[in-house]
């Protein structure tokens, strides 16, 4: 009953167009006022503070900043050129070039949106020039950018790891195999779509051209090596690796490419703080909300009510994936992750599901929400770059979405396919 | 624009610019703090025992000030599925009602945050490593709430309609 009031209040304030974070806060206030009047009001700021006071979450601005620096400092453009020399002659032409560039970008930065804005600004116009319709160009960019939060580093994985108490490094490594396999799946679909439309492919680049592009992109290409190498080698925590990666990306953009100056820094740093504020305001207030839920033992009760009968880990995982895909269509990845992780993680644990595997699957399923119509941030970004309507992009994305959802369900049924790599590397 | 709307717009713009300046500097400090600490540990062989605590303190402030900057720049996500169906003429009134609730929430956070800072100071609670007052961190909550209150109040008085 009291729980119903909490969720109802949240829904009403959301519908009233309060920001998600404030809707959570207002629902919490209503609840505290009605059902927990003896709780000290100081609990509110205390819980909010506790939600932000984390060294692990400090990685978020760093992985955002790397993406910002890549886009400002000419790194994104070089990655696209490099991809072009590698795969421009394959079926799909510019579409496959875009996919590869997005996958490389994903190994620098932790966010699907930064990926879409960064590579999309260059590749969407190029795809359109080579004959892709606007909606199709936006759809290809959207679906490949969604890999941004699956291929490490990944901001959703940082959030999940810090809430569920799972090693962020292990989650990162767990993202490689699904990210790459789903990327290959997308490449096949792009090839088929392009062939059916008779879209041109580029000529094969000469070895000299490949080398020249590789040399140009080379210093930047060391960024993911530095980040993941530092984490896997046990030299740096993910947070530290993010900061070092950001400094390195800045040095490359400043001294090798000479495309960024100190004067750009205020704008880039402020944009980073802004994105961090968007993610973390929800985090701080959701911590208060979650504290109420935990106080009322909602996670345990809900898990029992929903899945009390399900003992089979595979059935449970697939059920969770379907549920999250539905949630992801109308709530953003990070807020959904923050609200649901405290409910889902204990459930998986009770069913004996590997925590790293489960975390990776949850992050993937929720990440796909950014590219599922009707409400997907990445779709908005790419459609506006491509000057396509949301309907055109939404229609064009269907085959790509089928690959991504099919891939997610397939991995949900094959825990070993996700966990062998983290195991191999000692997590 | 009404008199109070114009006045608060001017005040908010000045406050906003100042906070934006502080925010980007703190974000830069955060990056340097963490990366230089790694460098110090491996290249110089000295770990700064205070680095993690300071990092968390700076991060908390980046979060709380960044939340306000993001609010000014309309980056916090809200759902339009109902607002999009409200008749255009009724939209300002619809938004004003919601904003009054948001203002109430921010008011409560600001007030309870100030209370928390006050009791923390009274009890003399300090951080484990640096030994500075724990109130330095907590202060971020009411400061952020007051700043966001100012911005939402401005939106309310001006009767701003978001572009969707």
């Amino acid at each position: 009953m009291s729980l119903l009031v909490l969720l109802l209040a949240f829904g009403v304030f959301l519908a009233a167009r309060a920001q998600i974070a404030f809707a959570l806060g207002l629902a919490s206030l209503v609840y505290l006022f009605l059902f927990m009047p003896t709780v000290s009001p100081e609990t509110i700021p205390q819980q909010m503070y506790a939600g932000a006071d984390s060294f692990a979450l400090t990685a978020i601005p760093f992985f955002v900043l790397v993406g910002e620096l890549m886009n400002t400092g000419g790194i994104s453009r070089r990655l696209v050129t490099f991809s072009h020399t590698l795969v421009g002659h394959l079926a799909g032409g510019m579409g496959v070039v875009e996919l590869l560039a997005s996958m490389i970008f994903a190994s620098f930065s932790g966010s699907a949106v930064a990926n879409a804005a960064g590579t999309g600004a260059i590749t969407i116009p190029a795809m359109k020039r080579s004959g892709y319709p606007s909606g199709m160009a936006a759809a290809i960019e959207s679906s490949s950018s969604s890999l941004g939060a699956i291929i490490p580093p990944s901001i959703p994985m940082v959030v999940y790891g810090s809430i569920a108490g799972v090693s962020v490094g292990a989650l990162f490594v767990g993202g490689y195999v699904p990210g790459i396999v789903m990327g290959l799946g997308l490449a096949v679909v792009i090839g088929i779509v392009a062939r059916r439309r008779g879209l041109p492919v580029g000529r094969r680049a000469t070895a000299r051209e490949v080398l020249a592009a590789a040399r140009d992109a080379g210093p930047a290409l060391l960024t993911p090596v530095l980040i993941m190498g530092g984490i896997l080698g046990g030299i740096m925590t993910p947070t530290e690796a993010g900061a070092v990666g950001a400094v390195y990306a800045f040095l490359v953009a400043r001294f090798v490419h000479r495309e960024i100056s100190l004067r750009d820094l205020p704008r880039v740093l402020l944009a980073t703080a802004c994105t961090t504020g968007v993610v973390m305001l929800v985090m701080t207030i959701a911590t208060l909300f979650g504290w109420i839920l935990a106080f009322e033992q909602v996670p345990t009760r809900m898990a029992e009510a929903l899945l009390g009968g399900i003992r089979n880990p595979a059935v449970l995982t697939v059920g969770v994936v379907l549920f999250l895909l539905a949630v992801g269509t109308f709530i953003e990845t990070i807020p959904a992750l923050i609200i649901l992780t405290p409910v889902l993680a204990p459930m998986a644990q009770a069913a004996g599901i590997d925590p790293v595997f489960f975390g990776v699957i949850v992050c993937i399923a929720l990440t796909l929400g950014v590219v599922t119509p009707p409400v997907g941030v990445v779709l908005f970004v790419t459609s506006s770059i491509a000057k396509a309507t949301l309907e055109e992009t939404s229609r064009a994305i269907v085959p790509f979405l089928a690959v991504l959802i099919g891939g997610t369900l397939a991995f949900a049924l094959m825990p070993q396919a996700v966990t062998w790599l983290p195991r191999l590397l000692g997590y | 624009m009404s008199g109070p709307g114009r006045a608060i717009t001017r005040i908010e713009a000045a406050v906003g610019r100042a906070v934006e300046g502080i925010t980007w500097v703190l974000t830069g400090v955060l990056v340097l703090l963490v990366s230089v600490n790694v460098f110090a540990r491996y290249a110089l062989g000295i770990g700064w025992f205070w680095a993690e605590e300071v990092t968390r303190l700076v991060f908390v402030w980046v979060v709380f000030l960044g939340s306000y900057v993001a609010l000014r720049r309309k980056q916090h996500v809200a759902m339009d599925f109902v607002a999009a169906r409200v008749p255009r003429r009724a939209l300002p009134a619809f938004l004003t009602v919601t904003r009054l609730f948001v203002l109430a929430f921010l008011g409560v956070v600001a007030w309870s945050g100030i209370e928390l800072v006050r009791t923390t100071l009274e009890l003399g609670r300090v951080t484990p490593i640096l030994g500075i007052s724990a109130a330095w961190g907590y202060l971020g909550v009411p400061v952020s709430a007051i700043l966001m209150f100012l911005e939402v109040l401005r939106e309310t008085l001006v009767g701003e309609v978001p572009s969707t």
Side-chain angles (χ1 to χ4, degrees):
Chain A
M1 170 56 207
S2 51
L3 176 65
L4 201 65
V5 171
L6 183 72
L7 297 179
L8 199 68
F10 177 51
V12 168
F13 287 118
L14 265 190
R17 211 191 177 283
Q19 288 85 344
I20 295 181
F22 295 147
L24 276 174
L26 280 162
S28 307
L29 274 196
V30 168
Y31 190 94
L32 287 175
F33 181 74
L34 288 179
F35 302 109
M36 301 167 83
T38 53
V39 164
S40 155
E42 290 175 15
T43 307
I44 298 167
Q46 224 157 13
Q47 287 300 322
M48 287 176 62
Y49 180 82
D53 181 26
S54 150
F55 190 73
L57 292 174
T58 309
I60 293 173
F62 299 152
F63 291 130
V64 172
L65 180 58
V66 174
E68 293 280 344
L69 288 167
M70 288 172 69
N71 294 343
T72 308
I75 296 177
S76 305
R77 204 182 62 243
R78 285 174 174 80
L79 293 184
V80 174
T81 311
F82 177 56
S83 308
H84 200 269
T85 61
L86 288 181
V87 297
H89 59 284
L90 298 180
M94 263 322 287
V96 182
V97 169
E98 193 294 311
L99 174 70
L100 181 63
S102 277
M103 288 176 72
I104 302 176
F105 192 106
S107 63
F108 285 64
S109 149
S111 131
V113 179
N115 197 325
T119 56
I122 307 155
T123 56
I124 289 178
M127 280 190 277
K128 284 171 71 174
R129 270 197 304 278
S130 78
Y132 281 94
S134 318
M136 181 64 73
I140 292 177
E141 175 64 49
S142 305
S143 47
S144 55
S145 296
S146 70
L147 299 176
I150 300 173
I151 298 174
S154 152
I155 289 172
M157 288 178 186
V158 169
V159 171
Y160 184 91
S162 74
I163 297 175
V166 180
S167 155
V168 174
L171 292 172
F172 277 7
V173 179
Y176 272 124
V177 173
I180 291 170
V181 169
M182 285 155 81
L184 290 175
L186 289 178
V188 171
V189 179
I190 293 172
I192 294 172
V193 166
R195 200 165 307 156
R196 196 178 294 164
R197 289 176 181 267
L199 295 175
V201 299
R203 65 174 175 82
R204 184 187 283 274
T206 63
R208 187 190 297 265
E209 285 168 330
V210 176
L211 266 180
R215 194 170 312 132
D216 200 26
L221 285 173
L222 281 179
T223 315
V225 177
L226 189 69
I227 292 177
M228 289 310 292
I231 297 173
L232 297 179
I235 302 168
M236 294 183 273
T237 63
T239 303
E240 291 173 337
V244 171
V247 170
Y248 179 78
F250 174 74
L251 293 177
V252 169
R254 174 78 186 82
F255 295 106
V256 180
H257 303 156
R258 299 174 188 282
E259 287 195 26
I260 198 169
S261 75
L262 289 176
R263 284 226 298 278
D264 295 315
L265 273 188
R267 186 179 53 76
V268 169
L269 289 171
L270 194 60
T272 302
C274 245
T275 308
T276 307
V278 170
V279 173
M280 289 299 298
L281 183 66
V282 179
M283 185 77 190
T284 57
I285 299 178
T287 305
L288 172 66
F289 191 82
W291 178 80
I292 294 174
L293 290 184
F295 193 86
E296 296 287 318
Q297 294 187 315
V298 171
T300 359
R301 274 165 39 195
M302 196 139 110
E304 260 164 33
L306 276 178
L307 302 139
I310 303 179
R311 291 276 175 273
N312 184 323
V315 177
L316 181 63
T317 314
V318 170
V320 167
V321 167
L322 293 175
F323 170 66
L324 293 180
L325 287 171
V327 168
T329 56
F330 57 92
I331 299 189
E332 292 247 16
T333 312
I334 305 282
L337 203 54
I338 294 166
I339 299 166
L340 292 174
T341 301
V343 181
L344 297 178
M347 246 163 58
Q349 198 180 14
I353 300 173
D354 183 276
V356 172
F357 160 71
F358 189 73
V360 170
I361 290 293
V362 166
C363 290
I364 295 176
L366 276 177
T367 294
L368 296 190
V370 297
V371 292
T372 45
V375 194
V377 246
V378 167
L379 285 183
F380 295 139
V381 173
T382 57
S383 299
S384 83
I385 298 175
K387 301 190 178 62
T389 65
L390 202 55
E391 285 71 33
E392 287 168 340
T393 311
S394 303
R395 249 198 311 276
I397 204 168
V398 171
F400 306 104
L401 209 51
V403 171
L404 293 171
I405 292 176
T408 310
L409 286 170
F411 278 105
L413 292 169
M414 299 184 293
Q416 281 81 14
V418 175
T419 53
W420 69 269
L421 192 58
R423 291 268 154 69
L424 190 71
L425 292 167
Y427 283 105
Chain B
M1 201 185 292
S2 63
R6 203 168 8 204
I8 193 168
T9 300
R10 245 200 326 263
I11 296 170
E12 201 279 333
V15 172
R17 263 198 306 278
V19 174
E20 288 186 354
I22 298 169
T23 307
W24 76 257
V25 170
L26 283 179
T27 311
V29 167
L30 193 63
V31 179
L32 286 179
L33 203 61
V34 177
S35 51
V36 173
N37 182 44
V38 174
F39 179 76
R41 191 169 65 221
Y42 286 101
L44 311 176
I46 43 169
W48 293 330
F49 62 95
W50 47 266
E52 186 185 322
E53 200 176 285
V54 178
T55 302
R56 275 164 43 195
L57 185 64
V58 175
F59 175 60
V60 164
W61 275 92
V62 167
V63 166
F64 286 119
L65 296 181
S67 302
Y68 160 68
V69 176
L71 186 69
R72 295 191 74 210
R73 298 181 167 203
K74 321 285 172 226
Q75 289 190 3
H76 290 294
V77 191
M79 304 286 182
D80 277 318
F81 56 92
V82 173
R85 283 165 183 74
V86 172
R88 268 208 95 64
R89 273 201 320 212
L91 193 58
F94 174 84
L95 292 170
T96 298
V97 173
T98 305
R99 281 173 181 148
L100 291 178
F101 276 103
V102 172
L103 285 174
F105 169 70
L106 292 171
V108 170
V109 174
W111 164 74
S112 56
I114 292 168
E115 284 300 303
L116 177 64
V117 168
R118 228 169 40 108
T119 49
T120 307
L121 287 175
E122 271 169 18
L123 297 173
R125 287 185 35 217
V126 295
T127 64
I129 295 169
L130 295 174
I132 59 169
S133 172
W136 281 110
Y138 291 148
L139 187 63
V141 180
V143 166
S144 176
I146 290 167
L147 289 169
M148 292 197 281
F149 187 96
L150 186 65
E151 166 63 12
V152 178
L153 185 63
R154 186 195 64 75
E155 288 176 351
T156 314
L157 289 177
V158 174
E160 207 166 78
V161 176
S163 56
T164 49

